[in-house]
Amino acid sequence: MSFEARGRMSLDDFRHEALSETSSTNSECLARARAGDRGLLWVTAERQTGGRGRRGRPWISERGNLYASLLLIDPAPMERLGSLPLAIAVAVHQAIRQVLPPQAERLEVKWPNDILIGRKKTCGILVEGESLPDGRHALVIGIGINVSVMPDNPLYPVTCIREQGSAVSPEELFAHLFASMAQVLGAWDRGRGIREITARWREVACGIGEKITVNLPDRSISGHFAGIDDNGLLMLDTGAGRMMTIAAGDVFFG
């Protein structure tokens, strides 16, 4: 059954399989899709031996953190999928916010879907898709959250939830994520709810109005972060009244 055919979702529509160890929860979900899984399946693992981030970067995956992937089948028409990363970020932000103590540093989202605490990265999100032989389209949302372990990362400052004064376990955090993702995907409504999602994203956005550099595959562009447009694209004010929209890139502040 496709995502469309389900209509409005509830928590009961989602399933969860917990593994002790796997190469990658994303790879596990894609394998299930190829085998005919109907989607709305969460796979979590205590440890990954081959976790990966964006652009093929390795994602250190020792025990103590949350490694989770959600398989969706035909989640939206292709032209609406561009807003999905914003919805994912809103759901993850909502889940982490529920476990942080009041004294924790500020929790924000860096475009499009990095979760920062005190401007330090605490979560990585990798969305991967694949067309299946039977005509369905599988999309996997991979989420890695630093709960108690902080990998060394020369690209970004990093933190973990434990460092912020929370004693939450990966299992407890996943319970919050399980609920928040169902709620936010329902609001996203196969991309039809993009206005609600972009409004919620702007409320928790990091660095609007600040100077940023966006690294693209072939060049870097600097300017001021003017927010996102109604389709979720980054708006970069490059000066002299010129506004550039960017669909994908790595953002650095300052």
Side-chain angles (χ1 to χ4, degrees):
M1 185 185 298
S2 71
F3 202 92
E4 174 77 52
R6 293 174 188 277
R8 271 302 191 187
M9 292 176 295
S10 71
L11 287 178
D12 292 337
D13 292 318
F14 292 81
R15 295 165 293 137
H16 173 217
E17 182 169 339
L19 306 176
S20 174
E21 182 176 295
T22 187
S23 62
S24 160
T25 54
N26 266 30
S27 296
E28 185 69 29
C29 279
L30 286 171
R32 302 296 179 90
R34 296 179 197 120
D37 193 279
R38 58 187 174 84
L40 296 187
L41 170 68
W42 280 102
V43 174
T44 59
E46 296 177 20
R47 181 175 181 268
Q48 297 181 122
T49 57
R52 58 186 181 272
R54 287 198 297 266
R55 300 184 182 177
R57 298 169 184 147
W59 186 266
I60 305 301
S61 307
E62 295 304 321
R63 296 183 191 277
N65 290 342
L66 175 60
Y67 312 110
S69 294
L70 174 61
L71 171 64
L72 304 177
I73 300 295
D74 295 326
M78 296 301 290
E79 65 271 16
R80 293 188 199 150
L81 283 178
S83 60
L84 181 58
L86 303 182
I88 297 166
V90 168
V92 176
H93 181 280
Q94 183 175 310
I96 295 177
R97 184 180 59 196
Q98 293 180 73
V99 305
L100 286 180
Q103 70 270 21
E105 297 177 274
R106 185 177 178 87
L107 177 66
E108 300 171 294
V109 177
K110 186 183 79 168
W111 185 88
N113 57 9
D114 279 342
I115 310 299
L116 307 183
I117 305 178
R119 294 290 174 98
K120 293 166 286 194
K121 186 169 179 174
T122 193
C123 174
I125 297 170
L126 176 65
V127 180
E128 297 182 299
E130 182 176 307
S131 295
L132 302 173
D134 61 5
R136 301 180 305 155
H137 184 76
L139 191 141
V140 178
I141 302 165
I143 300 167
I145 303 177
N146 297 340
V147 178
S148 61
V149 180
M150 290 182 294
D152 293 328
N153 190 331
L155 294 177
Y156 310 100
V158 295
T159 189
C160 66
I161 293 174
R162 185 69 49 82
E163 189 176 57
Q164 297 295 320
S166 172
V168 69
S169 68
E171 293 78 16
E172 291 169 327
L173 178 57
F174 176 69
H176 289 289
L177 179 61
F178 188 94
S180 66
M181 190 66 72
Q183 188 275 320
V184 172
L185 286 179
W188 180 66
D189 190 21
R190 290 180 48 82
R192 290 183 288 248
I194 186 172
R195 288 187 179 276
E196 178 179 343
I197 294 301
T198 53
R200 292 173 66 173
W201 190 95
R202 290 182 182 110
E203 290 176 356
V204 297
C206 175
I208 293 179
E210 296 183 22
K211 184 177 180 181
I212 63 172
T213 296
V214 184
N215 287 352
L216 304 175
D218 59 342
R219 57 184 169 142
S220 295
I221 305 172
S222 296
H224 285 84
F225 181 28
I228 58 173
D229 67 12
D230 289 339
N231 293 313
L233 300 181
L234 182 147
M235 297 189 299
L236 185 68
D237 184 350
T238 58
R242 292 185 300 172
M243 192 71 66
M244 180 178 183
T245 57
I246 297 174
D250 289 329
V251 174
F252 296 86
F253 293 100

